[in-house]
Amino acid sequence: MGDEKIVMTPTKRGKSTAIRLEKIKKSNIDLNQVHHSGGGAHSRLVVNKMAKIEDGGEECAELSMEFRCFLVNKKTSEHICEKRVLYFWFRENSDHEQKICGARDFFLELINPDDFPGDYPHFIKKAMKLLEKSDQYYAVLRVEVEMTPVSPEISAQTPFEEDNRPRDVIVQEQLLSEIERHFPNCVDINKLLEVTNEDHDMVISQLQQLIDKKLIKRLDDEGNKYIRNLLYDKSVREMKQMPVQQGIKKPSIAIITSSFFEKMAIDSMMSDKTTFVKFKQEGDGNVYTIGSIGKHRVVSTKLPIVGRDRSALISSGNSTTRLLGTFSDVEHVILLGICGGVPDYVDYRKHVRLGDIIVSVPNSKGISYIFADKVERSADNIMKFSLKSWNAKDLVVSELSESLQTVLNDLKSNTLEDYMGEAAEELGTLQNAHSFSRPQDSSDILYMRPDKDKLIRIEHPKIPEDANIKQKTPIVRLGCLASGRPFEESILRSDFAIRHQVIGFDPPLFDQVMESVVGNCKDSFIFIRGVSDYEDGANQKSVWKHYAALSAAAFARILIENLSNL
């Protein structure tokens, strides 16, 4: 490396500008083509004159990555879109893992929001300085950046746009979402006014429409408290005290969800079911659905309040303790719902897509679930996390999940799709608020936001010609899950995921739930998640969240059906 320089050669290809960056030995540099040689800290950088390069990177590159930059002109507020493609070549004898890691790390460091280049010169300079890193990118021999302006029509279709639907439609959606979030607790009218930030008459009008649709109901004559209706379940019983379950009717498996639609999804997988609801105008209510999956009796519940404030943390822990105390014969606990997937920008085989299923199994460190309470940046710019972790002592469910992964990911297997199709059809006939059908693949879009004025859309990795992988259907993936308050930034999540072998992120809600599960001596537990976004599963606007919840529920059904009798 000591006798190599980083040579940049610009060229034009039609409407595209291409920048070739390559490592060339000093003795092989054509001095007649050199426009500028750097000095001092940049003495290894060389800029060539504009040249005509016939071959495009896409013709012979070993790896490529495509992304789009959505920029905002601060003076005119105009949205500008540009497509950029990175092509990579590597040294001879570089193995597949070196190539994948080199390209992925180069890309993530190039778009790091801490020093994201705001213009062409700084973008190219940063790319050259990265290629100069002999220890980290030794295997990368050449990088080509192709930049192409995107038409104004496409530039206008950016995610910067606001929701332009009629205000009453948006308010009604917000109201239902908030009421579902609190279920089985009721919601006070003052809370609903605060959430929507609308006048009293508008909120009352939209609440009445939800009542007319039988999606919610009032709990008092004054119209101050509202709760969600369970239209999808015809066997609902309101209770003051949970009836005693005896003999073979006692549930041996508990399923914990945090969202109303997650509970809808898993309940649709049960037969012979009854839902018991305890409504309380003050304090936490309870909802338990007891039914059968295969030969097993199961009980599902929904946490009444989710969030990081003290009352929500106490509530989620208490609800879990109450569940496991009420159903003391439970031996397996399944934490079911949605999460954010960790994308792999280069390797299609490791790339998590929306709708995929993530099952928590131990990583190489023996950890299946990690919670990060806080993060600190050291003086030498190293991120240090305060972590808690859990792993089940009884691995029977994890081991069964591993064997099911091979079966369900086989191209000939349709069990997941069949179960999901049946449940989606059933749910569609029983309620009219949510659709559990698979969204259009065009809505599965990867975004990364370096700052508020820049957005990067990243294309999914190309499918290898020899890929024997299902498409347009959920893939079962096994690995470690993580959650925590620090993971709001894309780069921070990516860095943590690489360091801790994480393939999915939860919102920071489940540490108290896990403390309760372990505290109640439940040695067999597992997380089953459907991927609804590429963050932490908390994006309420994701059109994939219902489908993702259903995919997780379908896997849970298959897992339970294959468990040996307890």
Side-chain angles (χ1 to χ4, degrees):
M1 276 294 292
D3 63 342
E4 290 180 336
K5 293 208 172 191
I6 310 302
V7 180
M8 186 274 278
T9 306
T11 187
K12 292 286 290 185
R13 297 196 193 108
K15 295 182 179 180
S16 301
T17 299
I19 306 294
R20 176 173 291 183
L21 312 175
E22 51 191 330
K23 297 171 182 175
I24 301 178
K25 289 185 178 181
K26 296 177 185 178
S27 57
N28 293 337
I29 294 175
D30 185 351
L31 298 179
N32 293 323
Q33 296 299 319
V34 173
H35 172 71
H36 174 75
S37 293
H42 309 305
S43 60
R44 293 184 58 215
L45 305 187
V46 176
V47 178
N48 274 347
K49 301 172 185 176
M50 181 72 73
K52 183 178 181 181
I53 301 177
E54 298 295 340
D55 60 313
E58 72 280 0
E59 295 178 6
C60 53
E62 296 178 68
L63 285 174
S64 66
M65 298 179 62
E66 180 179 328
F67 60 100
R68 295 182 184 182
C69 294
F70 293 89
L71 311 175
V72 177
N73 187 314
K74 293 183 178 180
K75 293 183 178 180
T76 65
S77 297
E78 178 187 5
H79 295 133
I80 304 167
C81 180
E82 183 178 76
K83 183 178 79 170
R84 298 181 184 180
V85 186
L86 294 178
Y87 300 103
F88 293 88
W89 290 259
F90 302 88
R91 296 183 188 275
E92 291 185 15
N93 302 321
S94 297
D95 61 33
H96 179 72
E97 192 66 22
Q98 285 177 313
K99 294 177 182 180
I100 292 292
C101 291
R104 181 196 300 120
D105 293 349
F106 187 95
F107 170 72
L108 290 175
E109 193 168 357
L110 182 63
I111 63 171
N112 190 313
D114 290 341
D115 57 350
F116 183 79
D119 52 36
Y120 286 134
H122 287 92
F123 182 82
I124 300 305
K125 178 183 175 182
K126 183 176 181 181
M128 293 179 74
K129 295 299 289 184
L130 289 180
L131 197 58
E132 188 183 18
K133 290 186 176 182
S134 58
D135 55 341
Q136 192 169 354
Y137 302 116
Y138 172 78
V140 181
L141 189 61
R142 184 173 120 202
V143 178
E144 192 165 311
V145 185
E146 188 175 82
M147 299 172 284
T148 309
V150 177
S151 67
E153 292 78 14
I154 296 179
S155 294
Q157 301 170 6
T158 73
F160 289 110
E161 294 181 1
E162 297 181 356
D163 191 339
N164 293 319
R165 293 177 300 167
R167 185 59 190 163
D168 58 340
V169 174
I170 296 174
V171 170
Q172 189 173 132
E173 187 177 279
Q174 289 176 325
L175 290 170
L176 183 60
S177 176
E178 186 67 12
I179 292 170
E180 288 184 347
R181 189 174 77 87
H182 282 263
F183 183 85
N185 292 348
C186 59
V187 189
D188 186 86
I189 184 65
N190 293 321
K191 178 66 176 178
L192 297 174
L193 289 168
E194 176 188 333
V195 168
T196 58
N197 195 28
E198 280 290 343
D199 63 75
H200 186 272
D201 290 345
M202 163 70 90
V203 170
I204 291 297
S205 171
Q206 296 309 312
L207 285 171
Q208 185 58 52
Q209 289 194 35
L210 290 171
I211 292 172
D212 293 342
K213 294 176 181 178
K214 298 183 180 180
L215 294 173
I216 66 171
K217 64 181 179 180
R218 295 187 187 91
L219 274 189
D220 60 351
D221 295 334
E222 293 78 20
N224 290 327
K225 295 183 183 295
Y226 298 84
I227 197 163
R228 183 61 155 93
N229 258 335
L230 293 174
L231 285 182
Y232 69 91
D233 192 336
K234 298 178 180 179
S235 59
V236 179
R237 299 183 190 176
E238 294 189 20
M239 63 174 184
K240 292 185 178 180
Q241 187 172 349
M242 183 66 208
V244 176
Q245 303 293 305
Q246 296 180 344
I248 60 173
K249 291 187 176 182
K250 290 184 177 181
S252 57
I253 300 169
I255 303 172
I256 300 173
T257 67
S258 62
S259 295
F260 188 84
F261 60 85
E262 294 169 350
K263 189 173 186 306
M264 290 177 66
I266 190 59
D267 289 355
S268 71
M269 300 293 166
M270 296 184 197
S271 61
D272 187 25
K273 62 192 173 191
T274 303
T275 296
F276 300 92
V277 185
K278 183 179 181 180
F279 296 133
K280 294 176 67 176
Q281 294 198 23
E282 301 295 336
D284 288 341
N286 299 312
V287 57
Y288 303 125
T289 298
I290 301 173
S292 297
I293 296 180
K295 297 180 180 180
H296 299 285
R297 293 293 284 175
V298 302
V299 56
S300 71
T301 192
K302 177 197 171 293
L303 300 176
I305 303 177
V306 292
R308 290 305 301 172
D309 59 82
R310 182 174 176 79
S311 62
L313 291 174
I314 293 173
S315 176
S316 61
N318 288 346
S319 296
T320 306
T321 299
R322 196 157 47 244
L323 165 74
L324 299 177
T326 303
F327 302 96
S328 56
D329 285 359
V330 164
E331 295 193 22
H332 303 285
V333 177
I334 297 175
L335 297 104
L336 184 137
I338 60 175
C339 75
V342 176
D344 192 303
Y345 304 112
V346 181
D347 192 345
Y348 179 82
R349 291 176 175 83
K350 295 180 180 179
H351 180 51
V352 178
R353 296 291 297 264
L354 300 187
D356 282 356
I357 300 159
I358 294 179
V359 184
S360 64
V361 300
N363 58 18
S364 63
K365 300 176 182 178
I367 298 171
S368 60
Y369 200 86
I370 304 172
F371 180 81
D373 189 43
K374 60 182 179 180
V375 60
E376 296 177 352
R377 192 186 294 268
S378 64
D380 52 355
N381 205 34
I382 295 176
M383 308 300 284
K384 295 184 177 180
F385 296 89
S386 175
L387 303 177
K388 293 189 289 186
S389 62
W390 296 272
N391 192 47
K393 293 180 180 179
D394 184 344
L395 298 179
V396 62
V397 179
S398 296
E399 291 169 354
L400 177 57
S401 297
E402 292 178 16
S403 63
L404 287 174
Q405 179 195 34
T406 303
V407 174
L408 296 175
N409 285 350
D410 189 281
L411 293 174
K412 298 178 181 178
S413 174
N414 296 313
T415 309
L416 263 174
E417 297 91 315
D418 291 344
Y419 281 3
M420 292 176 68
E422 293 170 8
E425 184 176 352
E426 176 187 335
L427 289 167
T429 62
L430 295 177
Q431 57 83 41
N432 57 3
H434 306 306
S435 170
F436 287 83
S437 300
R438 182 179 175 86
Q440 294 290 325
D441 288 335
S442 58
S443 63
D444 183 358
I445 301 174
L446 269 174
Y447 285 113
M448 185 177 289
R449 188 183 290 274
D451 61 45
K452 64 183 180 65
D453 291 326
K454 301 182 184 72
L455 195 73
I456 297 174
R457 172 177 172 173
I458 306 165
E459 296 302 316
H460 296 283
K462 293 181 179 178
I463 304 174
E465 294 181 0
D466 61 345
N468 191 28
I469 301 174
K470 282 185 174 182
Q471 298 177 40
K472 300 182 183 298
T473 190
I475 301 295
V476 180
R477 302 185 183 276
L478 308 178
C480 181
L481 282 159
S483 70
R485 283 171 284 188
F487 300 126
E488 295 180 356
E489 299 176 3
S490 302
I491 293 293
L492 191 59
R493 283 196 303 273
S494 297
D495 178 67
F496 187 89
I498 292 170
R499 280 203 266 168
H500 295 275
Q501 303 162 29
V502 169
I503 64 171
F505 282 93
D506 267 346
L509 310 174
F510 297 97
D511 53 319
Q512 294 301 310
V513 175
M514 285 308 305
E515 294 290 359
S516 176
V517 170
V518 174
N520 279 275
C521 301
K522 301 304 176 184
D523 294 336
S524 176
F525 57 83
I526 197 165
F527 285 79
I528 301 176
R529 299 299 199 218
V531 179
S532 63
D533 59 39
Y534 293 109
E535 297 173 352
D536 64 0
N539 181 4
Q540 292 301 310
K541 294 182 179 180
S542 171
V543 297
W544 285 82
K545 62 183 182 181
H546 301 117
Y547 177 84
L550 197 64
S551 68
F555 181 85
R557 175 182 171 181
I558 296 169
L559 179 70
I560 293 169
E561 287 178 341
N562 283 273
L563 271 175
S564 300
N565 288 332
L566 299 173

